[in-house]
Amino acid sequence: MDTADLGLPVDVPSTALFTDRYELTMLQAALRAGTADRRSVFEVFTRRLPEGRRYGVVAGTGRVLDAVENFRFDGGVLDFLAQYRIVDEPTLAWLADFRFRGDIWGYPEGEVYFPGSPVMRVEGTFAEAVLLETVILSILNHDSAVAAAASRMSVAAGGRPLIEMGARRTHELAAVAAARAAYVGGFATTSDLAAGFRYNIPTVGTSAHAFTLLHDSERDAFTAQVDSLGSDTTLLVDTFDVAHAVRTAVEIAGQELGAVRIDSGDLLLLAHRVRQQLDDLGAKGTKIVVTSDLDEYAIASLAAAPVDAYGVGTRLVTGSGHPTCSMVYKLVARAESGAPDAPLVPVAKKSMGAKTSIGGRKWAARRLDADGVAEAEVVGSGPVPEALAERTLLVELVRGGRVVAREPLDAARDRHAAARAGLPLSATQLSQGDPVLPTEYSQA
């Protein structure tokens, strides 16, 4: 079942106020100046990747499409804008009828990106396109940061399953978005039921230390859990003494015990000891799950340990030290006038610092070497060179205000795995380094 269109409680009725005030003041001034209807092209990109990252991951595209559809100024929103005199009456009247009727192109969700990649392109009148800036950036910056962290952790895990469990470490709605982005980046399951309800992500969870402490003994707690959930459950074994708990767990659940979880201590040492103990007790099929403030580096350090799955929370939902991708939303072209057939002219901010941008409506393609491995991200304006025509990256997402590219979340997850596999092997290194692909510019 696809729940994307059900309007579930984790959604809000309108995304129109998920914006900065200056979007509306610019709209008001443009309406008064007669420039609001000029055809415009905005692009989302980042000037650099977070320090040490070799590639970025596009995530949140599906949520952007939902946000654009829900960008409506209903009566309550208009009353708020009027009460605080945020915009004038003509602008309120314009907003009352607002629907985005433009076009959106972008990298498909799960694709990788690099500095300068036009991750998303929004085309329409200046008035309708400028209003979407803040909500698009807030979604893409957050979700792409989490997905990039998830991707690195997935690489470090070497095929072992990863469990997203960060709901208690972030805002309740951000937790749902983070679980979604983590799934795109390679996580297998989430502990967050809202994410499971909203996006069909598989959910997992058994018990915490509180459940053990509730009972008169650890044995009583394990017995209660096995009686309720069956012998295939996961028992938490580090509340008191790990070795004693493992022995008790196997006595109660038998050799068919599903898994044990270790949440503290020297995870490398404990994993080896617990594996040996489980094998000696005949529970050779019982898995070991480790949690406790893991990140990609901690996961990599456990590569040689007999660990079967990892649970990750805080570091994942905060982007593992990089909670944003620093994406920006810039006007790169606009019509010479408000006439429908007026030609587009490139525009760009001039800056003495690092905030320069390149004007013009752009395409992007990924060039491959003779072995079929990506070797460069090529970004250009004008016609696409014939040699790159089959390697272009942007796809149509919205046409004339109508979403045309909704897809199951698993499609984005599979796409990311394929895109990452197509990069040079150095992309998966956790050590500091430059982007694994250079960005080349080809201007007409």
Side-chain angles (χ1 to χ4, degrees):
M1 180 181 67
D2 184 359
T3 59
D5 298 320
L6 296 183
L8 299 175
V10 292
D11 286 333
V12 293
S14 169
T15 54
L17 291 185
F18 286 177
T19 190
D20 292 309
R21 179 166 173 161
Y22 79 168
E23 315 291 10
L24 298 187
T25 56
M26 284 191 287
L27 168 64
Q28 176 177 305
L31 288 170
R32 182 169 297 185
T35 53
D37 289 333
R38 286 191 177 184
R39 192 159 50 102
S40 299
V41 180
F42 287 83
E43 287 178 351
V44 176
F45 62 94
T46 185
R47 297 183 175 95
R48 67 192 67 83
L49 297 180
E51 184 178 357
R53 296 290 168 88
R54 315 303 298 274
Y55 60 91
V57 182
V58 178
T61 308
R63 296 207 310 117
V64 167
L65 300 181
D66 292 341
V68 170
E69 283 191 333
N70 290 330
F71 207 91
R72 303 282 188 269
F73 292 84
D74 56 26
V77 170
L78 293 171
D79 289 344
F80 163 76
L81 297 176
Q83 178 183 354
Y84 291 97
R85 299 182 180 180
I86 292 172
V87 292
D88 59 18
E89 288 297 330
T91 305
L92 286 171
W94 189 93
L95 291 173
D97 295 327
F98 175 79
R99 299 290 185 275
F100 179 75
R101 295 180 174 87
D103 303 324
I104 300 178
W105 290 68
Y107 279 37
E109 189 159 18
E111 184 59 83
V112 296
Y113 70 88
F114 300 91
S117 297
V119 169
M120 187 168 286
R121 189 175 70 221
V122 180
E123 305 184 29
T125 66
F126 175 83
E128 62 184 343
V130 77
L131 290 180
L132 299 180
E133 174 182 5
T134 304
V135 70
I136 287 177
L137 287 180
S138 66
I139 292 172
L140 293 181
N141 269 315
H142 173 270
D143 290 24
S144 297
V146 174
S151 179
R152 286 163 60 85
M153 293 174 189
S154 176
V155 168
R160 298 169 180 174
L162 290 158
I163 307 162
E164 185 282 315
M165 46 196 306
R168 291 169 292 172
R169 299 294 187 263
T170 188
H171 184 279
E172 64 272 19
L173 296 184
V176 182
R180 182 186 184 280
Y183 189 70
V184 171
F187 273 58
T189 54
T190 179
S191 66
D192 191 287
L193 289 178
F197 183 47
R198 181 70 176 87
Y199 297 115
N200 285 332
I201 302 171
T203 62
V204 295
T206 51
S207 67
H209 293 105
F211 185 77
T212 300
L213 297 173
L214 167 69
H215 292 80
D216 294 335
S217 69
E218 195 169 51
R219 177 176 293 274
D220 289 346
F222 287 176
T223 300
Q225 184 173 327
V226 170
D227 286 348
S228 174
L229 302 177
S231 61
D232 195 39
T233 190
T234 299
L235 294 175
L236 181 58
V237 296
D238 72 324
T239 305
F240 303 116
D241 178 83
V242 173
H244 180 269
V246 170
R247 184 167 56 254
T248 303
V250 175
E251 288 176 2
I252 293 169
Q255 296 175 350
E256 296 74 34
L257 173 62
V260 295
R261 178 163 75 95
I262 309 170
D263 187 51
S264 59
D266 185 335
L267 298 180
L268 179 62
L269 176 63
L270 287 172
H272 280 286
R273 287 181 175 175
V274 169
R275 180 72 273 157
Q276 184 63 55
Q277 185 180 8
L278 287 170
D279 291 348
D280 291 345
L281 292 170
K284 295 185 178 181
T286 299
K287 293 179 169 56
I288 298 175
V289 181
V290 296
T291 53
S292 184
D293 291 329
L294 298 178
D295 62 9
E296 60 265 49
Y297 302 104
I299 292 169
S301 73
L302 293 168
V307 173
D308 298 287
Y310 306 90
V312 190
T314 303
R315 297 291 288 177
L316 174 65
V317 299
T318 56
S320 195
H322 298 288
T324 179
C325 301
S326 298
M327 291 182 183
V328 294
Y329 185 97
K330 297 298 180 183
L331 181 67
V332 297
R334 53 89 173 167
E336 291 182 340
S337 70
D341 58 349
L344 288 173
V345 294
V347 295
K349 173 184 177 179
K350 302 296 183 183
S351 174
M352 297 297 291
K355 289 191 173 183
T356 56
S357 57
I358 298 174
R361 183 179 183 272
K362 300 176 195 67
W363 49 265
R366 191 159 297 147
R367 191 173 69 237
L368 309 182
D369 65 15
D371 297 317
V373 178
E375 66 176 6
E377 191 89 336
V378 184
V379 177
S381 57
V384 180
E386 184 176 347
L388 295 173
E390 299 299 318
R391 300 296 307 169
T392 56
L393 293 164
L394 278 78
V395 299
E396 192 176 23
L397 301 173
V398 176
R399 181 193 309 137
R402 184 174 62 88
V403 173
V404 296
R406 235 182 219 105
E407 62 182 4
L409 194 57
D410 280 324
R413 174 184 169 86
D414 293 343
R415 181 181 296 115
H416 175 62
R420 189 177 63 197
L423 297 176
L425 285 176
S426 57
T428 61
Q429 293 177 340
L430 297 181
S431 56
Q432 296 287 317
D434 294 328
V436 71
L437 296 187
T439 303
E440 300 177 359
Y441 291 94
S442 172
Q443 285 190 279

